[in-house]
């Protein structure tokens, strides 16, 4: 094997071991890379078949990898490799997920950013039936948030017998930073995908929220998601000047707004610690956030991967309670600051007080340690081993719930009415 590129004979031999997994993805991201890193730290062999649609590269993160040109090619190569377990990743239901569920080369775990179901989404209804079908066929589900349980409870979807709650975790490999030079200025940073008004999506409605923040003379920094990176041109639907036009116009007229280039993850890691707070928001009418594509249950149950980015950068997070699961999680660790304070005068002074008089950074350090990928690797490994052994289990609801309780931290079972 050279540079981790695939040699079929050697790769297939490696996948014969008990502690081995084949990842398949149409959109390689930090999620797959973090998981591979964590599993390898436990002595697992991790292979990858991927469609090269993102600027993330697999080099150095997997025992072997192969770029494929289609779902059919990925399935063909997976069949030749004959792995013990396949973990298929996708932002939503796609050809990769469906093909591996319909024609199993091994037990199949699926991993979706969004679960398309009537109770959660109000767009792409053509994905509802395929999502339902894939969930019923898969042997396991790796849940980044609570969406799948909402779909089970509200839409009566059958979900896989094996399930693990496994959100985006922190790297937690950055050293503790020297505190910033004392300053009365407050800097808030937003990273990753936000719903843009230019697309008629007002669930996040960051434009109006940003105006409220700027009016308090607080700096606001935006780092767009990876799809806007200057070295990535694969998505014809993405156009930075068009999509961020309203923010760019606001930036020209307000010195407190700063729009940055989209950066590679390894560069962003070094940029974020200079700021004071991260931010997550959605679903609050006071900020003009009204539902369009996403239903209220989605905003309640979804998880923002940027939480990991903020905690890795030692940042507490501004958030409103309508983003229920994210708010609950951050509040539990004492690192959530109520974003609705921006509606009142004196919010800047309130944030200054948080930084100067509370042990917020100590709490952030504790949260990112607990919510780190290495701290949770054993849970993922155990989930894989159980799924390998129980591919065709026929279990009633009570036994499924019993397994869920073992795999999901007990504290999560108490949030809301999601049936955990």
């Amino acid at each position: 094997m050279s540079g981790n590129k695939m040699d079929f004979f050697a790769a297939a031999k490696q996948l014969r071991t008990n502690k081995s997994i084949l990842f398949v993805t149409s959109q390689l991201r930090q999620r797959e890379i973090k998981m591979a890193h964590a599993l390898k730290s436990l002595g697992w062999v991790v292979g990858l078949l991927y469609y090269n649609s993102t600027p993330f590269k697999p080099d150095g993160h997997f025992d072997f990898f192969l770029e494929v040109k289609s779902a059919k090619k990925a399935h063909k190569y997976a069949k030749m490799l004959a792995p013990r377990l396949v973990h298929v990743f996708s932002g939503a239901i796609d050809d990769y997920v469906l093909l591996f569920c319909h024609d199993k080369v091994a037990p199949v775990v699926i991993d979706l950013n969004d679960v398309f179901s009537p109770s959660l989404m109000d767009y792409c209804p053509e994905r509802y039936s395929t999502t339902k079908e894939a969930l019923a066929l898969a042997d396991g589900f790796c849940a980044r948030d609570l969406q799948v349980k909402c779909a089970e409870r509200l839409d009566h979807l059958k979900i896989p017998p094996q399930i693990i709650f496994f959100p985006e975790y922190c790297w937690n490999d950055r050293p503790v930073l020297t505190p910033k030079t004392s300053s009365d200025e407050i800097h808030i940073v937003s990273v990753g995908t936000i719903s843009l008004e230019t697309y008629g999506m007002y669930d996040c409605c960051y434009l109006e929220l940003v105006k409220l923040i700027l009016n308090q003379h607080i700096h606001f920094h935006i780092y767009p998601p990876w799809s806007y990176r200057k070295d990535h041109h694969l998505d014809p639907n993405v156009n930075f000047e068009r999509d961020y036009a309203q923010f760019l116009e606001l930036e020209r007229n307000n010195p407190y707004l700063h729009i940055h280039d989209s950066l590679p993850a390894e560069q962003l890691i070094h940029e974020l610690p200079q700021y004071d707070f991260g931010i997550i928001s959605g679903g609050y009418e006071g900020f003009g956030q009204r539902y369009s594509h996403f239903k209220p249950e989605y905003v309640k149950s979804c998880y923002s991967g940027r939480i990991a980015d903020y905690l890795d950068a030692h940042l507490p997070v501004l958030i409103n309670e309508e983003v229920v699961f994210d708010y609950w999680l951050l509040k539990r660790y004492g690192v959530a600051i109520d974003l609705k304070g921006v509606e009142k005068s004196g919010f800047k002074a309130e944030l200054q007080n948080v930084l100067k008089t509370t042990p917020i950074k100590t709490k952030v350090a504790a949260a990112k340690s607990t919510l780190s990928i290495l701290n949770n690797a054993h849970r993922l490994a155990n989930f894989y081993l159980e799924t390998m052994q129980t591919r065709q289990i026929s279990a009633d609801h009570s036994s499924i719930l019993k397994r869920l309780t073992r795999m999901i931290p007990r504290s999560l079972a108490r949030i809301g009415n999601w049936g955990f």
Side-chain angles (χ1 to χ4, degrees):
M1 237 175 278
S2 174
N4 296 125
K5 289 186 179 179
M6 183 178 285
D7 175 286
F8 262 95
F9 179 78
K13 186 176 180 180
Q14 286 181 296
L15 288 177
R16 299 279 67 74
T17 66
N18 288 336
K19 293 183 176 182
S20 63
I21 182 76
L22 179 64
F23 283 4
V24 178
T25 183
S26 56
Q27 197 177 64
L28 182 63
R29 299 154 301 171
Q30 283 282 293
R31 182 168 177 79
E32 293 91 322
I33 290 170
K34 285 181 181 179
M35 285 183 175
H37 173 78
L39 290 166
K40 284 167 64 63
S41 75
L42 297 179
W44 279 62
V45 171
V46 187
L48 172 71
L49 301 176
Y50 77 110
Y51 182 74
N52 189 12
S53 61
T54 74
F56 297 102
K57 303 303 175 189
D59 307 73
H61 299 294
F62 298 85
D63 290 286
F64 60 86
F65 60 83
L66 179 68
E67 179 183 343
V68 297
K69 299 299 183 184
S70 67
K72 287 185 178 180
K73 286 287 186 181
H75 188 267
K76 173 186 174 182
Y77 292 132
K79 199 169 188 177
M80 293 168 62
L81 288 167
R84 290 173 55 81
L85 186 70
V86 178
H87 189 152
V88 187
F89 299 80
S90 178
I93 286 294
D94 63 12
D95 291 343
Y96 288 76
V97 175
L98 289 171
L99 183 54
F100 276 85
C101 284
H102 278 294
D103 189 0
K104 294 180 180 179
V105 301
V108 175
V109 171
I110 61 176
D111 193 317
L112 307 175
N113 271 36
D114 289 324
V115 176
F116 279 76
S117 191
S119 65
L120 298 168
M121 305 286 185
D122 201 20
Y123 72 116
C124 295
E126 67 276 7
R127 294 184 181 181
Y128 296 165
S129 61
T130 51
T131 299
K132 180 179 180 180
E133 184 180 14
L135 285 171
L137 290 171
D139 303 293
F141 190 84
C142 190
R144 69 193 306 273
D145 53 28
L146 306 181
Q147 288 183 63
V148 73
K149 293 300 294 181
C150 279
E152 180 193 41
R153 177 171 58 88
L154 299 174
D155 299 316
H156 310 294
L157 299 191
K158 179 184 176 183
I159 65 174
Q162 296 294 322
I163 186 168
I164 185 173
F165 173 78
F166 208 82
E168 303 299 319
Y169 286 116
C170 306
W171 281 111
N172 192 29
D173 59 354
R174 305 272 76 81
V176 176
L177 302 175
T178 303
K180 284 176 44 177
T181 303
S182 179
S183 169
D184 286 335
E185 295 300 313
I186 293 292
H187 293 262
I188 297 170
V189 63
S190 172
V191 300
T193 303
I194 58 176
S195 298
L196 294 164
E197 283 82 349
T198 46
Y199 286 123
M201 299 174 72
Y202 296 93
D203 301 78
C204 289
C205 198
Y206 265 47
L207 187 64
E208 296 306 314
L209 173 57
V210 168
K211 289 177 181 177
L212 288 174
I213 291 171
L214 301 181
N215 287 342
Q216 298 255 7
H217 292 172
I218 295 171
H219 294 271
F220 195 92
H221 300 258
I222 297 175
Y223 288 86
W226 58 261
S227 53
Y228 291 95
R229 274 176 50 177
K230 291 180 177 178
D231 60 350
H232 180 67
H233 306 288
L234 294 181
D235 190 344
N237 298 315
V238 165
N239 182 296
F240 178 71
E241 286 73 20
R242 177 198 66 203
D243 298 345
Y244 283 83
Q246 291 157 304
F247 288 97
L248 291 168
E249 176 64 25
L250 185 58
E251 182 188 38
R252 283 190 285 269
N253 296 293
N254 195 307
Y256 285 92
L257 179 59
H258 315 274
I259 302 176
H260 303 268
D261 289 338
S262 176
L263 296 178
E266 56 272 18
Q267 286 183 243
L268 191 61
I269 283 173
H270 297 289
E271 290 291 320
L272 295 184
Q274 67 184 295
Y275 303 114
D276 297 303
F277 298 92
I279 186 170
I280 296 168
S281 184
Y284 176 50
E285 291 183 3
F287 298 153
Q289 297 167 339
R290 53 190 184 273
Y291 299 113
S292 53
H293 293 70
F294 304 122
K295 291 189 175 179
E297 289 297 332
Y298 175 87
V299 179
K300 290 178 183 177
S301 62
C302 70
Y303 178 82
S304 174
R306 72 191 72 177
I307 286 175
D309 296 320
Y310 295 147
L311 294 183
D312 264 332
H314 307 269
L315 303 181
V317 182
L318 295 164
I319 185 169
N320 56 278
E321 63 187 349
E322 283 72 18
V323 192
V324 176
F325 177 59
D326 289 348
Y327 183 84
W328 172 86
L329 184 68
L330 293 168
K331 196 79 172 175
R332 177 171 180 252
Y333 288 98
V335 298
I337 310 299
D338 188 0
L339 182 55
K340 292 181 182 178
V342 75
E343 296 177 300
K344 304 173 184 177
S345 61
F347 187 56
K348 182 176 181 179
E350 184 180 322
L351 296 184
Q352 290 168 338
N353 190 56
V354 167
L355 295 176
K356 291 176 182 178
T357 65
T358 69
I360 193 74
K361 291 295 185 179
T362 302
K363 292 179 180 179
V364 170
K368 80 188 195 76
S369 176
T370 302
L371 297 173
S372 69
I373 190 70
L374 291 180
N375 194 47
N376 288 275
H378 67 283
R379 295 178 50 246
L380 184 62
N382 290 340
F383 164 71
Y384 285 154
L385 292 173
E386 288 199 22
T387 305
M388 289 178 193
Q389 295 167 5
T390 58
R391 175 174 180 175
Q392 298 297 337
I393 284 180
S394 175
D396 61 22
H397 181 76
S398 62
S399 63
I400 293 173
L401 189 59
K402 191 178 294 182
R403 283 196 298 277
L404 275 171
T405 304
R406 289 202 304 271
M407 287 184 285
I408 297 173
R410 188 173 299 277
S411 57
L412 291 177
R414 294 193 292 268
I415 175 174
N417 183 28
W418 282 285
F420 278 131

